[in-house]
Structure formats: C-alpha cells, structure tokens
Amino acid sequence: MRDFRHPTGMGRGRRACVVGSGPNGLAAAIVLARAGLRVEVFEAEEIPGGGVRSMELTLPGFVHDFGSAVYPLGVGSPFFSSLPLQEYGLEWVHSPAPLAHPLDDGTAVVLERDIGAAAAELGADGRSWRSLLEPFVRNWRAFAPEILRPVVRVPRHPWLMARFGMKALLPAQVIAKRFKSERTRALFAGLAAHSFLALDELLSGAFGILMAAPAHAVGWPIARGGSQSITNALCAYLARLGGQVGTSCRVESLDAVKDYDLILCDVSPRQLIAIGGRQLSNSYQARLKKFRYGPGVFKVDYALSAPIPWRAPECARAATVHLGGTFEEIALAEKAVRSGEHPQRPFVLLAQPSLFDASRAPAGKQTAWAYCHVPNGSTVDMLSRLEDQIERFAPGFRDTVLARSVLSPSRLESMDANLGGGDISGGLIDIRQMLFRPTTKLYVTSAAHIFLCSSSTPPGGGVHGMCGYHAAKTALASL
Ligand SMILES: Cc1cc2nc3c(=O)[nH]c(=O)nc-3n(C[C@H](O)[C@H](O)[C@H](O)COP(=O)(O)OP(=O)(O)OC[C@H]3O[C@@H](n4cnc5c(N)ncnc54)[C@H](O)[C@@H]3O)c2cc1C
C-alpha cells in the first residue's frame, strides 16, 4: 500500500494559491500545506465545496445536497482515507444496501453490499457477477490508487490492471451479455449509465465495474448532516495545517495572483482560458479549446411529507435508487442524450438520504435528490418526465411533495462555474479524454507555476480528491 501522506517541509517559505474550493481544490491545498507551503484558497461562491455543498434549497429545516450525494469514491479514496476527517466531524452513513433498481413488475433488484449476499440475490447470475467483480473487490486497496490516477503511467499492479483493462474497454452492452437475467442486465445498465456514455460505446462497461466494485468493497455511503460535512472537515483540517479559505472571492484573472510560487486551478478548461489570458501560450489555449464537455444534468430536490411510496418496499433499504427499467430502456435513454435528444423516459438517479440520516429533514419528513441526463446546455424542462419515472415505480409520489427545487443546467452552472452546460464530470470521459485530460500535459500548463487540479484532469469526475492530490504532487515536484 502506498503512503498517501506527503513528506512535509519541502515547500517551506513558499506560497501557493488554489483557485476554487471543490474537493479537488481542497485536496490540492492540503497536500501543499502538508509540504510546508503557505496556502490560500480563493472560492467564488459564498460557501466552499463546489459540488460538495448542502443547502436549504426547498423549505426551512430540509438539508439538500446541491451536487454530489453518494460517495463510493469518497469513502474509497486513497487520499481522503489518509486524512483524519472523522476528527473533523465527517461520518459516513451506510444504508443497509447500497443500491436498489425497481422494475415494472413491482419488484426491485437490490445490490447487497456483501458480494456473497449480492451473488445470492442475483440467482443464476450470481457466479458471473462474482467472477466479474471479485478481483477488484478483494484487492480494492491496490485497485483504487491504480484507477484513480493518470492511465498513461506504468501500473503498480500490472496483473490486476490487465484484468481490468481487458474488460474495461468493452461497451456495457457486451459485458451485460454474460448475464442471463433481465434483472441483472438492468442493474448493470444503471451502473454503467454513470458514465454519461451510450451503453454501446467503448469504455461504458468500465463504469459498470467501477461503480459496482466499491459498492461491495467500501459501500456507497452518504455523509451525516449533508455533503457539506465533507467539505467542512477538509477545510477544518486545512486550517489546522495553516491553510486559509476565502469565500466570495472569484478570481477573474490569474494576473491577480501572480505573486504566488504555485497556482493550482480547480477550474475547467474553458474557465482556465478565461482567467489565464496572456499567462498561457496560444498553442496551449488552442489545445484546451479542443476539450469536449459531456452531457449535462437536470436536477430536482424534494421536501417530502413522507417516505417515497415505492411499489417494491425493498427500495427503502437503499440510499440510492436507479429508475429506468430494463437494460434496453436505459440504453435507449442514454443513446438519445448522446445524440443531443431528450428521452421521453430518462434514466433517473435518485437518493433518499433522510431515510438513513434523520438530520436531513424535520421529524417525520423526508428529502429526495434526483437528476437525469440531458444534452449539454439543455434548456428543456424535464420535470414532468423525471417525476413520471418516479411515479412509475412509486405511485402517489407527487402527493408527498411539499416543495421542490429545480436546477437546470444553466442554474447549476450559475452556482458552480465548473458545471459547464450542466456537465458534472468536468468534461466527457471517452478514450481520448481519459488518457489525455484535458491535454497530453495533464496537470501541467504552458506556464511553469500554473497547474490544473479539477476533475477536468485525471482521474476525472467524482468526489475523491485524487485530481487535486496528483496535481499538487506534480506542482511540488516542479519546485
Ligand atoms: C448534481 C450533481 C450530482 C453529483 N453526484 C455525485 C455523487 O453522488 N457522487 C460523486 O462522487 N460525485 C458526484 N458529482 C460530481 C462531483 O461533485 C464532482 O466530480 C466534484 O465536485 C468535482 O470536484 P472539483 O473540485 O473538480 O470541482 P467542483 O466541485 O465543481 O469545485 C470547483 C470550485 O471552484 C470554484 N471556482 C470556479 N471558478 C472559480 C474562480 N474563477 N474563482 C474562484 N473560484 C472558482 C467553484 O465555485 C467551485 O466551488 C455530482 C455533481 C453534481 C453537480
């Protein structure tokens, strides 16, 4: 197991600034502060955290996660696991099962946390499920650092990565053929759809594996009190290391921070061009302009009078519920989004955190968090289509709604500038942008002291802090 702590003292006397306080910005700040640099983080919004914030978006007393809500890669992150975040108030809460996937017959496929129990639940497909995932589940502590770093580096566990690589490139559609049951195929489709790729595209299968493996290895927890508690813990630990976070401080130009020895930017390529200006070479800017953003999301948060009335009661065992029906239906919906269309029956990702964390809502009341994929920059109102999908599996859902908050792609972007066109992954992850993200230089820019550390760098989207960790290590190596 590698040591994710960084040797301290190497940057003493130097100053670094980080633009943006998302999980990657804060991770970068912590690595730099541990190395002895004086670190200041500048955050545009009123509260830090970017995609890891909680707010009263609907009614007083209802705590909603603005962005991320469920944290397989947070609890499974090699870097976050090396930090004393529990001492600063972070508590992971696991629902009895990580995930439920209801079907039209009124039942649900439940993904159990224990891989043996999951195999039993999947019946005839249990053995296939196990053989697909077990090597990565059993070796999660070796596997996680490998998948959460640039792909172009030499693997430390070549046999494990060769095993993953053989399957990872395949489309989800091909991997799903190993399952006999419609139910298992549907479950795998929902997992693979986290990729934002069509399920017949190369690499989409990798996401099915990358979402399922941590479900068994480390779980899919939520954060007690709301996602903000993750950010608060990171900020508090950074403060202990002497770092500072300034909020409502939008950096309009990197000229304003040119006196720092290192500048790490937790921003997407489009913003880097906007704020980097003349500090970045024309050829580097031209390469950044070629970076492609992925589909966006249309998100709704709910204050509810009661738990969601699932037809399949077992859905109440899972904090996350995937709504989209069969493999074929989900594949159709995701294909439509990739083709720039809005599916009639979108694939909906739903979380019901208050069932497992009473602090999220007033007594007896509940919250829900849901989004569906839409083309980048979409202006189509998907509310009724999204709610029809919830009603399909939970008739009477609309009667429980006390209030809702709708976050369209443009609204999301107005609350976190990194969410360009509603893209929550920092840019499309296809083969090219997985290898070279956002350019072949990865974290390095054309300016010697400016680095990129957002999810537009490897390993990409998700709350794991590993983009920030690797960017900061690269920056320290340049000193
Ligand atoms: C709706 C939604 C649902 C999601 N669900 C999940 C989930 O369940 N699990 C999961 O793991 N991931 C999820 N994600 C993805 C996850 O939140 C992101 O991948 C992660 O937050 C990326 O971290 P980051 O630090 O790169 O960027 P961000 O978290 O986007 O942070 C960037 C920060 O930089 C600030 N900033 C930008 N420009 C400037 C500037 N010029 N000056 C100062 N500050 C600036 C922004 O205000 C923001 O605070 C979700 C995201 C969204 C939006």
Side-chain angles (χ1 to χ4, degrees):
M1 177 68 183
R2 289 187 56 223
D3 186 355
F4 279 86
R5 289 165 304 174
H6 203 281
T8 53
M10 61 191 285
R12 225 166 274 296
R14 316 238 194 183
R15 292 169 70 221
C17 83
V18 178
V19 180
S21 68
N24 286 313
L26 293 174
I30 287 170
V31 173
L32 297 172
R34 275 180 158 188
L37 277 84
R38 276 190 20 229
V39 183
E40 284 168 86
V41 181
F42 299 111
E43 167 54 49
E45 301 298 323
E46 280 175 23
I47 48 173
V52 191
R53 281 179 289 171
S54 308
M55 305 168 183
E56 283 187 342
L57 289 168
T58 55
L59 299 172
F62 290 83
V63 178
H64 300 283
D65 292 332
F66 157 76
S68 53
V70 184
Y71 296 102
L73 298 178
V75 69
S77 159
F79 180 60
F80 284 169
S81 309
S82 75
L83 306 179
L85 299 181
Q86 273 74 5
E87 286 172 29
Y88 295 92
L90 174 59
E91 185 189 341
W92 297 118
V93 178
H94 292 269
S95 49
L99 170 68
H101 188 122
L103 296 165
D104 282 325
D105 64 2
T107 67
V109 196
V110 175
L111 185 65
E112 299 291 346
R113 174 142 173 213
D114 176 72
I115 194 165
E121 157 85 10
L122 297 175
D125 286 324
R127 190 187 287 237
S128 284
W129 188 265
R130 254 192 129 122
S131 79
L132 179 68
L133 295 164
E134 198 146 39
F136 314 117
V137 174
R138 213 173 341 106
N139 298 298
W140 176 259
R141 281 162 68 88
F143 184 54
E146 295 282 10
I147 51 165
L148 293 175
R149 71 186 192 125
V151 181
V152 286
R153 294 189 186 158
V154 180
R156 291 193 182 84
H157 299 273
W159 65 269
L160 189 63
M161 292 317 286
R163 197 157 180 172
F164 177 62
M166 274 179 336
K167 300 195 177 98
L169 277 179
L170 297 173
Q173 201 175 51
V174 173
I175 294 185
K177 287 204 173 105
R178 64 174 26 233
F179 303 125
K180 300 186 187 89
S181 159
E182 282 292 318
R183 300 169 68 80
T184 319
R185 285 161 45 76
L187 177 72
F188 193 72
L191 292 162
H194 282 252
S195 64
F196 284 87
L197 296 169
L199 302 191
D200 58 2
E201 274 182 88
L202 290 180
L203 217 58
S204 56
F207 280 80
I209 298 171
L210 291 179
M211 298 311 293
H216 300 307
V218 287
W220 280 23
I222 57 173
R224 187 171 305 282
S227 299
Q228 191 72 46
S229 63
I230 302 173
T231 296
N232 290 350
L234 289 166
C235 287
Y237 179 55
L238 176 64
R240 198 188 86 191
L241 298 171
Q244 293 174 350
V245 181
T247 51
S248 303
C249 297
R250 187 176 298 279
V251 174
E252 307 280 2
S253 162
L254 293 186
D255 288 344
V257 288
K258 63 177 184 318
D259 293 338
Y260 290 86
D261 297 295
L262 292 175
I263 303 173
L264 276 89
C265 299
D266 185 11
V267 305
S268 83
R270 211 178 277 162
Q271 299 147 267
L272 186 62
I273 294 170
I275 64 174
R278 30 199 187 101
Q279 299 208 38
L280 303 173
S281 73
N282 289 341
S283 66
Y284 180 65
Q285 291 194 36
R287 277 188 278 159
L288 284 181
K289 280 182 189 150
K290 291 194 185 137
F291 186 74
R292 283 162 309 134
Y293 288 76
V297 306
F298 181 95
K299 176 170 184 267
V300 190
D301 287 283
Y302 294 97
L304 304 175
S305 61
I308 299 176
W310 299 111
R311 271 204 291 153
E314 55 272 35
C315 288
R317 292 184 55 230
T320 306
V321 186
H322 284 165
L323 305 171
T326 63
F327 185 101
E328 287 68 27
E329 277 183 279
I330 295 172
L332 211 62
E334 295 306 288
K335 184 100 181 160
V337 172
R338 283 288 276 143
S339 314
E341 292 158 20
H342 295 77
Q344 268 317 315
R345 286 183 142 190
F347 171 59
V348 175
L349 297 94
L350 183 143
Q352 39 188 5
S354 55
L355 283 185
F356 311 99
D357 174 7
S359 70
R360 304 288 187 112
K365 306 286 191 289
Q366 304 290 334
T367 60
W369 163 110
Y371 69 81
C372 65
H373 299 163
V374 290
N376 192 282
S378 161
T379 54
V380 172
D381 183 355
M382 294 293 283
L383 181 63
S384 62
R385 294 185 221 184
L386 183 146
E387 287 189 357
D388 285 349
Q389 285 289 58
I390 307 178
E391 280 277 338
R392 177 179 163 193
F393 301 103
F397 166 74
R398 282 191 176 97
D399 299 337
T400 67
V401 176
L402 298 171
R404 51 173 75 71
S405 139
V406 174
L407 296 174
S408 63
S410 62
R411 184 94 183 88
L412 283 166
E413 188 174 345
S414 73
M415 295 168 80
D416 176 351
N418 284 27
L419 306 175
D423 179 345
I424 67 170
S425 307
L428 187 70
I429 294 219
D430 58 4
I431 291 188
R432 186 168 64 117
Q433 295 201 162
M434 179 193 59
L435 291 173
F436 306 116
R437 189 170 179 83
T439 70
T440 52
K441 295 160 84 80
L442 310 182
Y443 312 100
V444 173
T445 71
S446 56
H449 65 307
I450 300 175
F451 297 83
L452 198 57
C453 69
S454 70
S455 60
S456 302
T457 62
V463 175
H464 40 65
M466 296 302 287
C467 310
Y469 168 81
H470 290 296
K473 294 248 311 180
T474 307
L476 285 172
S478 77
L479 283 179

